[in-house]
Amino acid sequence: MGDGNENFAPGPLPGVTYPLQVLYCGNCSMPIEYCEYYPEYEKCKQWLERNLPEEFEKLMKIGEKEEDGIGEEEKKRQKRGGKGIMKAKKKDDVPKQVCVSRAPRGKKKSVTVVTGLSTFDIDLKVAAKFFGTKFACGSSVTGEDEIVIQGDVKDDLFDIIPEKWPEIDEDSIEDLGDQKR
């Protein structure tokens, strides 16, 4: 008593004929309602259509109803890997200018923030990788048009950016000084 099975009457269920008849698939040897979990489900469908056409029809009607409900839910679900960093849209009204600033990080450490490289159609991931290798430090893309370089390398950027990307001249690089992030 009290084990949670009080609602079930002992013995056969009304409306069910015994012994139960279970239909097995000739392809995967599982009950036909479990064929959809078998890796070669298409072969199971073909076997079922040839040998048990009425069961095949029932199964396909049930499958269509379930797919209608799943289709909408699957579209909303986010795929693996997250959204990633969206590419910055090119805006014609934005002036082509690279801004370099330094931001404090902790007590004596700082990071260098570079913005505006995407106005020159420069791939930010490639640029971040280049800065990280050049200065032997961590460098990452943090915003739509922002690269954060660990360490104070602001002064070196005025020489290195025009050297790496000739379309950017030294006049189009602006020093914003020290800023809070």
Side-chain angles (χ1 to χ4, degrees):
M1 290 271 162
D3 59 0
N5 292 331
E6 294 90 24
N7 297 338
F8 297 109
L13 296 173
V16 178
T17 56
Y18 291 95
L20 294 176
Q21 293 294 319
V22 180
L23 297 172
Y24 291 97
C25 175
N27 183 48
C28 64
S29 71
M30 293 195 286
I32 59 172
E33 53 270 6
Y34 292 106
C35 284
E36 64 183 290
Y37 304 110
Y38 189 68
E40 296 173 354
Y41 181 45
E42 292 301 317
K43 289 183 180 178
C44 292
K45 275 197 222 176
Q46 292 170 0
W47 182 90
L48 196 60
E49 190 174 15
R50 270 180 288 164
N51 298 330
L52 300 168
E54 62 283 341
E55 292 297 323
F56 177 75
E57 290 297 320
K58 286 182 196 174
L59 205 61
M60 289 300 108
K61 285 181 183 173
I62 292 170
E64 287 172 5
K65 289 178 187 174
E66 289 175 356
E67 284 176 7
D68 292 340
I70 292 172
E72 295 171 16
E73 190 177 303
E74 197 171 308
K75 288 177 187 172
K76 293 177 187 174
R77 211 176 112 233
Q78 182 178 334
K79 298 289 186 261
R80 181 177 174 193
K83 292 182 178 160
I85 297 171
M86 304 303 285
K87 296 272 184 189
K89 293 182 178 94
K90 187 177 177 184
K91 297 174 185 169
D92 295 329
D93 59 337
V94 176
K96 289 189 166 191
Q97 189 161 21
V98 177
C99 299
V100 179
S101 64
R102 185 175 55 212
R105 184 182 73 89
K107 295 187 178 182
K108 294 182 180 179
K109 298 186 184 276
S110 62
V111 293
T112 307
V113 181
V114 181
T115 56
L117 283 176
S118 64
T119 58
F120 289 94
D121 293 331
I122 294 170
D123 188 7
L124 296 180
K125 286 184 178 180
V126 173
K129 176 86 172 165
F130 169 73
F131 292 142
T133 326
K134 187 76 176 173
F135 300 120
C137 64
S139 176
S140 62
V141 180
T142 55
E144 273 197 13
D145 186 18
E146 183 179 74
I147 296 176
V148 174
I149 307 166
Q150 293 179 3
D152 181 11
V153 294
K154 186 175 69 170
D155 299 331
D156 299 332
L157 287 173
F158 290 103
D159 300 327
I160 289 171
I161 289 176
E163 185 182 310
K164 172 74 173 167
W165 296 285
E167 65 267 21
I168 305 173
D169 57 338
E170 285 189 36
D171 299 332
S172 59
I173 301 174
E174 185 182 354
D175 185 0
L176 299 178
D178 290 359
Q179 295 199 333
K180 292 274 185 190
R181 285 188 64 216

